[in-house]
Amino acid sequence: MKNVNLLSGIAALALVAGTATAEEVRVYNWSDYIDEDLLTQFEEETGIDLIYDVFDSNEVLETKMLSGGSGYDVVVPSATFLQRQISAGAFQPLDVAALSNHGNLWGAIQDRTAQYDPDGAYSVNYMWGTTGIGFNIGKVTEILGEDAPFDSWDLVFDPANMEKLAECGVYFLDAPSEMIPAALNYIGEDPDSHDPEVIAKAEDVFAAVRPYIQKFHSSEYITALANGDICVAVGWSGDVFLAQLRAVEAENGQEIDYAIPNEGAQMWFDQMAIPADAPNPEGAHAFINFILDAENAAAATNYVWYASGNEAAQEFIDPEILDYPAVYPDAATLENLYTTRPYDARVQRVVTRLWTTVKSGQ
């Protein structure tokens, strides 16, 4: 990812001398989540220098946001975390008048994100997607046979399957807010439950398969799947498609695919927002408006294979992506997707303790 160091050399001397320096905007986004050509294009079109840093978990971002002084102008939390951070006063309201491309947003997605940010007062959608299963078709078929349950959570939550798949490698997301709801949904409980007694039931689901999980990580599975180092990963839709693309480009014979399990899966939304203490709110609005441009939003989706919350962008999105139900689910699949609300502080402590236990295997 691009990371421009601005205050160096002559620029630093100019600053010391009191001379005006180039405007900059600092963006903090998920890893592997944008076409980097867009970053250069933004600088060329606006004359604003861009510092672009990345993270790979909501927990990392939230620590920065709630401790204050993040130093960023635009950040991209998932909606459940955004809601909690709005309540904590971490964001400033958007100036919609400064977003000429705001009308490009997709009403259907705005309706779904309204439960986290009513009226979209603090954020706009960047991308949305699902949490499901990525897999190496050949390796899994070789181990489990032609009737392998690719489209079921049985693939990763049934110990009999996982014991065999351990031979070729399985990664789980290191994301309790995604993994615990998936486990609860699998056993017929409410994935959005905030009842500690219900949440505790997820521990048994993970304990049964923990010996067969090679690693918990929220980004390394992309390369591991692409290279054939593992055969299964619980991951985010677009990340798996990125692994698929990398395998194709490498011509390494690894055939990667993604499934939304038929028992249901989590639908999530990543939102662009401006921290309350952003150094350059005006530049932040310029960056958000740039991304909201229909062609720019489409370029981002065409690169990362995540669905865009920009309806106007659909005209420019590759038809292969737009017509792919694993990226843009059909109505029946959408009906089977669930969303979650943020945990309050008390329940979050329960979740954190449970997840620590799960990862330690003790």
Side-chain angles (χ1 to χ4, degrees):
M1 287 298 173
K2 187 174 183 180
N3 192 332
V4 183
N5 292 318
L6 298 167
L7 301 181
S8 60
I10 296 174
L13 293 174
L15 181 63
V16 172
T19 304
T21 57
E23 181 183 2
E24 68 181 32
V25 63
R26 296 171 176 264
V27 177
Y28 199 36
N29 198 359
W30 293 82
S31 58
D32 297 302
Y33 210 24
I34 198 167
D35 181 349
E36 292 188 18
D37 288 344
L38 287 172
L39 307 182
T40 302
Q41 182 182 334
F42 171 77
E43 292 186 318
E44 292 174 347
E45 290 186 7
T46 65
I48 300 173
D49 289 318
L50 179 64
I51 296 177
Y52 189 91
D53 295 328
V54 301
F55 58 91
D56 68 2
S57 80
N58 273 299
E59 289 76 13
V60 169
L61 172 59
E62 182 161 82
T63 297
K64 286 183 178 290
M65 292 307 304
L66 297 186
S67 62
S70 72
Y72 289 103
D73 299 300
V74 179
V75 297
V76 191
S78 295
T80 49
F81 284 76
L82 171 88
Q83 183 179 9
R84 183 162 59 201
Q85 292 158 16
I86 289 174
S87 298
F91 298 112
Q92 58 180 270
L94 295 176
D95 179 4
V96 176
L99 301 174
S100 59
N101 292 318
H102 192 272
N104 290 341
L105 288 168
W106 191 358
I109 298 303
Q110 288 180 287
D111 289 345
R112 287 182 176 254
T113 58
Q115 65 172 309
Y116 307 108
D117 178 14
D119 300 320
Y122 293 89
S123 70
V124 296
N125 183 254
Y126 174 57
M127 301 277 188
W128 60 274
T130 55
T131 302
I133 305 172
F135 49 86
N136 184 306
I137 298 173
K139 290 178 181 289
V140 174
T141 301
E142 181 180 353
I143 290 175
L144 296 184
E146 295 292 338
D147 59 348
F150 289 115
D151 59 354
S152 170
W153 285 112
D154 282 337
L155 188 69
V156 294
F157 286 145
D158 183 338
N161 290 330
M162 283 290 286
E163 183 176 10
K164 297 173 183 176
L165 292 172
E167 177 184 334
C168 57
V170 179
Y171 278 19
F172 275 19
L173 285 172
D174 187 7
S177 61
E178 309 257 353
M179 295 303 306
I180 290 174
L184 292 177
N185 183 67
Y186 178 67
I187 59 176
E189 296 287 352
D190 178 5
D192 193 31
S193 177
H194 287 208
D195 182 341
E197 292 186 2
V198 174
I199 291 171
K201 295 180 181 181
E203 185 173 349
D204 287 341
V205 178
F206 291 111
V209 298
R210 178 62 185 91
Y212 315 119
I213 302 170
Q214 182 176 329
K215 193 170 190 177
F216 293 87
H217 204 279
S218 296
S219 60
E220 290 183 3
Y221 66 92
I222 300 173
T223 299
L225 272 175
N227 292 344
D229 298 329
I230 62 173
C231 60
V232 174
V234 177
W236 294 306
S237 48
D239 280 0
V240 176
F241 297 133
L242 181 57
Q244 183 184 65
L245 177 63
R246 289 181 179 176
V248 169
E249 290 176 342
E251 299 181 344
N252 60 11
Q254 307 300 326
E255 189 176 359
I256 310 301
D257 207 349
Y258 173 81
I260 300 173
N262 53 36
E263 298 93 343
Q266 184 167 343
M267 184 180 187
W268 48 260
F269 311 90
D270 288 338
Q271 304 288 110
M272 292 186 289
I274 303 175
D277 58 357
N280 185 1
E282 184 177 345
H285 282 87
F287 181 81
I288 292 173
N289 197 54
F290 172 83
I291 295 297
L292 288 179
D293 175 85
E295 293 189 53
N296 294 341
T301 283
N302 289 338
Y303 184 83
V304 301
W305 280 60
Y306 277 111
S308 174
N310 190 314
E311 186 172 22
Q314 293 180 16
E315 176 184 352
F316 306 102
I317 291 173
D318 185 335
E320 182 182 2
I321 297 174
L322 202 58
D323 297 336
Y324 192 11
V327 182
Y328 283 88
D330 56 30
T333 303
L334 279 172
E335 189 68 26
N336 208 26
L337 300 178
Y338 59 82
T339 57
T340 60
R341 296 164 297 138
Y343 300 120
D344 62 27
R346 179 181 64 88
V347 176
Q348 184 62 55
R349 287 192 293 270
V350 172
V351 168
T352 300
R353 284 196 298 269
L354 187 153
W355 194 240
T356 299
T357 299
V358 167
K359 289 175 63 179
S360 68
Q362 299 176 355

